[in-house]
């Protein structure tokens, strides 16, 4: 599917396997989500704009590329998306950070927004929305609706594990958005959890129940 990029990198697949293991504790889980976020961002940000600057090396002067301005906004969907953002900020410390608070109703599985704060000049930025789980796709679609209503145009979405149902819904609602996923799993169960998945990402990152 155009605009859906599934990772095949063995490092990412290896780390996702450890995340899936129910015996992996909070500490290791959090560290791995951070690391996978960084590895995936490396790929997703390959078209960040650059411009040439003059640099004096110890040998001679040359023209060499640098990132252009402060053009990236990382927007985690709270809570679990936060776990992926720190790795990305290690790669691009100058990025601005927005937050979208969203939780899924346990019965209807529909998303409810409770917070939205985006960096200024959002229409001029590349916006990387993060959430480890793309299940029904409801949260991602609504978060991106929010961002577009506030002027966001150049948007990418990044998740660790996705269900085919979520990818379809997000792609149909926002075909312009590139979707980067660590792995596409089999299906959703009746509670709209991803199978085999990794359970509740927010609870596993923050050690809640
Ligand atoms: C989880 C996950 C996504 C959402 C995915 O969040 O982090 O945001 O569910 O499901 P969807 O694709 O069906 O919308 P949750 O609502 O559990 O909130 P939390 O991050 O605060 O735990
Ligand atoms: N949210 C999660 O954290 N996990 C799932 O499998 C689905 C939604």
């Amino acid at each position: 599917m155009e605009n859906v990029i599934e990772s095949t990198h063995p490092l990412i697949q290896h780390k996702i396997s450890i995340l899936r293991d129910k015996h992996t504790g909070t500490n290791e889980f959090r560290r791995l989500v951070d690391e996978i976020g960084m590895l995936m961002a490396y790929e997703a940000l390959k078209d960040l704009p650059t411009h040439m600057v003059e640099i004096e090396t110890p040998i001679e002067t040359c023209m060499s590329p640098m990132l252009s301005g402060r053009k990236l906004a990382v927007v985690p969907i709270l809570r679990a998306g936060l776990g992926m953002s720190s790795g990305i900020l290690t790669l691009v410390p100058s990025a601005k950070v927005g937050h979208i608070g969203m939780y899924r109703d346990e019965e209807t599985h529909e998303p409810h927004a409770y917070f939205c704060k985006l960096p200024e000049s959002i229409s001029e930025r590349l916006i990387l929305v993060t959430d480890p789980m793309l299940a029904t796709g409801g949260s991602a679609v609504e978060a991106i609706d929010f961002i577009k209503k506030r002027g966001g145009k150049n948007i990418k979405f990044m998740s660790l594990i996705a269900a085919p149902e979520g990818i379809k819904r997000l792609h149909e609602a926002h075909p312009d958005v590139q979707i980067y996923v660590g792995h596409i799993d089999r299906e959703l169960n009746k509670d709209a959890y991803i199978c085999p998945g990794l359970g509740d990402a927010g609870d596993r990152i923050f050690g809640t129940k």
Side-chain angles (χ1 to χ4, degrees), residues 9 33-34 54 61 64 74 85 91 111 143 166 174-175 192 200-201 205-206:
H9 200 293
V33 170
D34 185 74
E54 192 175 286
T61 299
S64 194
V74 182
S85 60
L91 286 184
H174 297 291
D200 188 306
I205 292 171
F206 296 108

Side-chain angles (χ1 to χ4, degrees), residues 77-81 102-105 109 111 114 131-140 166 192-193 200-203:
I77 300 179
L78 307 180
R79 289 174 303 166
M102 211 155 269
Y103 71 90
R104 276 199 329 178
D105 183 289
H109 310 132
Y114 57 86
D131 193 330
M133 309 305 276
L134 178 62
T136 66
S139 305
Y193 272 80
D200 188 306
D203 284 346

Side-chain angles (χ1 to χ4, degrees), residues 26-203:
T26 302
N27 196 357
E28 190 179 9
F29 194 93
R30 197 182 290 147
R31 181 177 57 74
L32 287 164
V33 170
D34 185 74
E35 285 175 10
I36 301 169
M38 191 183 321
L39 291 169
M40 289 184 67
Y42 178 77
E43 178 64 19
L45 297 178
K46 63 176 183 275
D47 53 1
L48 267 181
T50 59
H51 63 282
M52 301 302 275
V53 294
E54 192 175 286
I55 307 266
E56 238 179 274
T57 80
I59 310 297
E60 61 178 39
T61 299
C62 67
M63 298 301 286
S64 194
M66 297 272 280
L67 291 180
S68 294
R70 299 174 190 277
K71 290 284 183 252
L72 177 67
V74 182
V75 181
I77 300 179
L78 307 180
R79 289 174 303 166
L82 267 182
M84 294 169 75
S85 60
S86 60
I88 302 169
L89 293 173
T90 306
L91 286 184
V92 193
S94 63
K96 294 284 195 285
V97 184
H99 295 90
I100 296 187
M102 211 155 269
Y103 71 90
R104 276 199 329 178
D105 183 289
E106 284 185 11
E107 301 293 322
T108 65
H109 310 132
E110 283 305 309
H112 291 272
Y114 57 86
F115 186 76
C116 180
K117 182 98 180 160
L118 298 177
E120 60 182 14
S121 314
I122 197 70
S123 60
E124 292 158 30
R125 296 178 188 276
L126 168 61
I127 302 158
L128 187 56
V129 181
T130 64
D131 193 330
M133 309 305 276
L134 178 62
T136 66
S139 305
V141 168
E142 191 156 327
I144 292 170
D145 283 344
F146 260 122
I147 294 169
K148 285 187 174 173
K149 274 187 202 135
R150 285 159 177 77
K153 293 186 188 84
N154 186 9
I155 304 170
K156 299 184 189 225
F157 179 84
M158 214 172 83
S159 72
L160 304 187
I161 296 185
E165 297 90 329
I167 290 188
K168 184 168 182 289
R169 182 164 168 187
L170 178 55
H171 182 67
E172 281 174 5
H174 297 291
D176 56 304
V177 171
Q178 282 184 344
I179 306 169
Y180 283 86
V181 289
H183 194 269
I184 301 175
D185 275 12
R186 196 179 67 247
E187 60 187 353
L188 295 176
N189 68 13
K190 65 174 177 33
D191 298 317
Y193 272 80
I194 300 174
C195 305
L198 49 70
D200 188 306
D203 284 346

